[in-house]
Amino acid sequence: PFETRGHVALAGTFGYELDITRIPAEDRSQIPAQTEMCRKYQPLIQKGDYYRLSSWCDKKPWDCWEVVSKDRREALVTWVQVLSSPAVHSHAIRLKGLDPDTLYTLEETGETWYGEELMNCGYLFRPVQKDAASRLLHFTAS
């Protein structure tokens, strides 16, 4: 899965509310890739169905949300581990809105699951040992 160094919020509008000439060169060098990623997923995010899968406000160490295309052939899942802690086990998060009979491929790894598996068993997230770690998962119908 795509892991970011400080996630880009892929929801709503996209922009930088800062003077980009004053940020470190390492961070500035990430802007073209972040902009391209936002352009790639913009139609799905703007027109897809939004699902809140997990909330940090519910005393969980992570937030997770999903956007599914209207034809249910594409899904984008954003997972953010808000706070890390030692000895946290992996956890499965059940996706929503998929077609149970469709085989979905995780773009980043090539792994496949049926929609029924992803919705009933979930996708297994492994904790990361840092705060504000995030992963972006892009599933497409095979």
Side-chain angles (χ1 to χ4, degrees), residues 36-55:
E36 184 57 36
M37 180 178 26
C38 288
R39 284 186 186 135
K40 175 181 179 180
Y41 298 124
Q42 182 181 16
L44 174 61
I45 292 166
Q46 286 183 335
K47 296 178 182 172
D49 294 325
Y50 175 85
Y51 297 93
R52 184 67 180 228
L53 304 178
S54 179
S55 175

Side-chain angles (χ1 to χ4, degrees), residues 4 11 16 24 30 33 36 38 52 63 71 80-81 84-85 96 100 106 109 111-112 123 126 128 133 139 141:
T4 62
Y16 293 93
Q30 295 180 35
E36 184 57 36
C38 288
R52 184 67 180 228
D63 271 324
D71 63 4
V80 179
Q81 178 177 275
S84 67
S85 65
K96 295 181 180 178
L106 179 57
T109 66
E111 297 171 280
T112 59
Y123 179 83
R126 290 170 182 80
V128 179
F139 294 94

Side-chain angles (χ1 to χ4, degrees), residues 12-49:
T13 60
F14 171 70
Y16 293 93
E17 295 180 11
L18 51 85
D19 182 350
I20 63 170
T21 65
R22 293 182 166 209
I23 61 175
E26 181 183 358
D27 292 341
R28 197 168 46 249
S29 70
Q30 295 180 35
I31 291 174
Q34 291 171 349
T35 303
E36 184 57 36
M37 180 178 26
C38 288
R39 284 186 186 135
K40 175 181 179 180
Y41 298 124
Q42 182 181 16
L44 174 61
I45 292 166
Q46 286 183 335
K47 296 178 182 172
D49 294 325

Side-chain angles (χ1 to χ4, degrees), residues 63-78:
D63 271 324
C64 190
W65 57 93
E66 172 189 25
V67 180
V68 179
S69 63
K70 296 291 186 190
D71 63 4
R72 301 189 309 170
R73 299 196 48 80
E74 183 179 15
L76 187 65
V77 178
T78 304

